[in-house]
Amino acid sequence: MGAFLLLFLIILVIVLVVQAIVLAWAIGVGWLLTLFLPFSLFEGALLGIISAGMVAFALQRILSSEISPFSDYDDDDDEGELFDVLDSYEVIPENRFYKDKTGKTWEAWVKHEIANGIYEEMQDSDITFASMGKQQLQELAIRLADIGIAVLKTKAKNRTLRVTVANLRNRMKKINQRPYDDDILELAAEAINDELEYEETIDVIRGKLWRQPCDMFD
């Protein structure tokens, strides 16, 4: 009982001290205001109390805000994980898409992006490519990218840019090639349509910039 009473008295003293400080602050601010503005001491003190309340509220919000000191490290970790995922895929080298500087066109760049997208899908796919080596898979991805670009060139004026399995199949028939299996064409169509999410690719198709020099290569 004695300990409880002592705790109560301590809390009461703290409350009274805080109130005294606030009152002194209010009277001090009120007195200063009466020196420069046409306020009475009561009006100035009232403004002082309001300002003290606002300061206390602001401090309470700052102290209670939950800011994690490790947020930057979390972002770094996420970025590191992203690069780990990207590094886990093999890519087709850029020099497979041009012979010299004059070959660094937007068409070569779009082909590079689409072919690598297809190649990445191949590495993730459930389709069995066991009978094909790495070089053969890369060549297949590049051929599919060529077919996809040929289709895209015919769609420059279409309101919606999208490639379907039927588009790829028909293009192969048109150039007297036996169409690949539908699951391979579906994989290619998905990768091509993913590339169509980028504004640069859309600009190349819409503007027919295929033969224009490209500065995207390293």
Side-chain angles (χ1 to χ4, degrees):
M1 184 66 180
F4 175 77
L5 182 59
L6 178 61
L7 179 61
F8 175 76
L9 290 174
I10 291 173
I11 294 174
L12 181 61
V13 169
I14 292 173
V15 171
L16 291 174
V17 169
V18 171
Q19 288 180 343
I21 293 173
V22 172
L23 183 60
W25 162 275
I27 294 174
V29 171
W31 178 75
L32 287 174
L33 289 175
T34 60
L35 296 178
F36 302 102
L37 297 171
F39 288 150
S40 66
L41 182 60
F42 173 76
E43 291 171 334
L46 183 60
L47 287 175
I49 292 174
I50 294 173
S51 65
M54 294 177 64
V55 171
F57 177 75
L59 288 174
Q60 186 270 336
R61 291 297 299 272
I62 292 172
L63 294 175
S64 63
S65 62
E66 297 181 0
I67 303 175
S68 172
F70 303 105
S71 57
D72 292 339
Y73 296 100
D74 293 340
D75 291 341
D76 291 341
D77 290 342
D78 291 341
E79 186 175 349
E81 290 176 2
L82 174 60
F83 282 114
D84 288 342
V85 171
L86 294 176
D87 290 341
S88 66
Y89 293 103
E90 293 184 1
V91 297
I92 306 173
E94 289 183 358
N95 57 17
R96 294 284 299 277
F97 300 90
Y98 59 85
K99 294 180 180 179
D100 50 37
K101 290 184 178 180
T102 60
K104 294 182 178 182
T105 62
W106 279 108
E107 180 168 352
W109 173 255
V110 173
K111 184 192 297 185
H112 164 270
E113 293 296 290
I114 290 177
N116 270 297
I118 294 172
Y119 189 42
E120 180 180 317
E121 292 287 344
M122 288 176 172
Q123 295 173 66
D124 258 348
S125 175
D126 294 331
I127 303 172
T128 301
F129 294 103
S131 61
M132 302 180 69
K134 181 172 70 174
Q135 292 296 325
Q136 291 175 309
L137 280 178
Q138 291 182 0
E139 287 296 335
L140 176 58
I142 293 172
R143 286 199 299 272
L144 288 166
D146 277 327
I147 296 167
I149 287 175
V151 172
L152 290 173
K153 286 181 178 180
T154 67
K155 292 177 173 284
K157 295 183 179 180
N158 288 21
R159 177 178 297 181
T160 302
L161 284 175
R162 191 162 185 83
V163 172
T164 65
V165 171
N167 293 149
L168 298 175
R169 186 190 303 112
N170 292 338
R171 177 61 190 176
M172 294 191 73
K173 289 180 178 178
K174 187 174 182 179
I175 58 177
N176 297 319
Q177 287 188 7
R178 180 182 176 183
Y180 298 119
D181 293 340
D182 280 358
D183 51 359
I184 295 177
L185 295 180
E186 185 175 349
L187 179 149
E190 182 178 348
I192 294 168
N193 290 326
D194 285 345
E195 180 61 23
L196 296 178
E197 298 293 328
Y198 297 99
E199 291 185 7
E200 292 88 350
T201 305
I202 299 295
D203 291 341
V204 171
I205 298 169
R206 297 292 192 197
K208 299 181 179 180
L209 307 177
W210 301 103
R211 296 186 179 182
Q212 296 295 319
C214 171
D215 57 359
M216 299 293 284
F217 290 104
D218 293 336

